[in-house]
């Protein structure tokens, strides 16, 4: 336990803030999924003027958001599936004005059943839903940036 505590002390404060926001967004995503599932459609997400990540700060922010979503998903006891995580990533990237690419794909699993998956890319990096993209048939994709 002391080792975990010591490790936690080394986490930068900005990551703690993002982790708390992700957990809050995770609760909101769980509620919306049960009561208003249409809120997860990308057409309903915010479309502010977003810019391509060009600075070291932008890339660092993308990595921090990805970290917070990954850690948040691992510690929440409620369902926090890929579409919830993609929504969380979209909200945070939009908040920081960073353009992103949202993808929905499907593949057949080993039992022959179709599985859906969604993921977010920013600056060609996975922010949520890391996967082997070649395994999926792309069903829909959205680029949310200055041209939307």
């Amino acid at each position: 336990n002391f080792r975990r505590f010591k490790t936690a002390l080394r986490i930068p404060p900005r990551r703690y803030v993002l982790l708390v926001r992700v957990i809050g967004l995770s609760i909101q995503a769980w509620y919306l999924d049960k009561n208003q599932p249409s809120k997860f459609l990308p057409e309903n997400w915010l479309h502010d003027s977003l810019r391509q990540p060009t600075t070291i700060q932008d890339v660092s922010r993308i990595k921090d958001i990805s970290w917070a979503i990954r850690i948040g998903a691992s510690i929440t006891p409620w369902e926090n599936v890929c579409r919830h995580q993609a929504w969380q990533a979209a909200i945070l990237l939009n908040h920081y004005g960073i353009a992103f690419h949202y993808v929905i794909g499907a593949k057949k699993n080993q039992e022959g059943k179709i599985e859906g998956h969604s993921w977010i890319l920013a600056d060609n990096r996975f922010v949520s839903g890391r996967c082997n993209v070649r395994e999926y048939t792309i069903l829909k994709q959205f680029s949310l940036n200055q041209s939307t």
Side-chain angles (χ1 to χ4, degrees):
N1 284 338
F2 181 70
R3 190 179 302 167
R4 277 186 159 175
F5 179 73
K6 214 169 133 180
T7 301
L9 289 177
R10 286 183 270 175
I11 297 171
R14 70 181 183 280
R15 282 194 166 187
Y16 275 121
V17 169
L18 281 170
L19 182 57
V20 169
R21 289 191 69 193
V22 162
I23 291 170
L25 286 170
S26 175
I27 294 167
Q28 187 178 1
W30 177 84
Y31 174 81
L32 288 174
D33 193 33
K34 302 294 181 217
N35 298 293
Q36 297 174 325
S38 65
K39 295 285 186 182
F40 287 107
L41 297 175
E43 296 90 346
N44 295 328
W45 293 347
L46 302 173
H47 291 268
D48 291 340
S49 179
L50 305 177
R51 69 190 182 308
Q52 294 300 318
T54 56
T55 66
I56 293 171
Q57 288 174 321
D58 287 341
V59 173
S60 179
R61 182 96 52 190
I62 291 167
K63 289 178 181 178
D64 290 345
I65 291 169
S66 180
W67 173 88
I69 289 170
R70 189 177 66 254
I71 299 300
S74 72
I75 63 173
T76 54
W78 52 85
E79 186 178 62
N80 193 2
V81 295
C82 60
R83 71 181 174 278
H84 297 179
Q85 294 172 35
W87 181 77
Q88 295 159 26
I91 296 293
L92 292 171
L93 291 165
N94 188 61
H95 174 76
Y96 292 108
I98 299 171
F100 58 92
H101 190 71
Y102 175 72
V103 185
I104 301 169
K107 71 175 184 178
K108 282 191 179 181
N109 66 17
Q110 293 176 343
E111 294 89 40
K113 293 183 180 179
I114 295 178
E115 290 182 351
H117 187 54
S118 61
W119 60 93
I120 296 258
L121 300 165
D123 194 35
N124 293 319
R125 300 169 193 272
F126 279 96
V127 181
S128 72
R130 181 178 304 273
C131 64
N132 182 350
V133 175
R134 286 183 233 133
E135 292 180 0
Y136 289 88
T137 300
I138 305 301
L139 303 175
K140 206 165 191 182
Q141 48 189 326
F142 305 86
S143 286
L144 301 176
N145 55 37
Q146 290 176 334
S147 63
T148 57

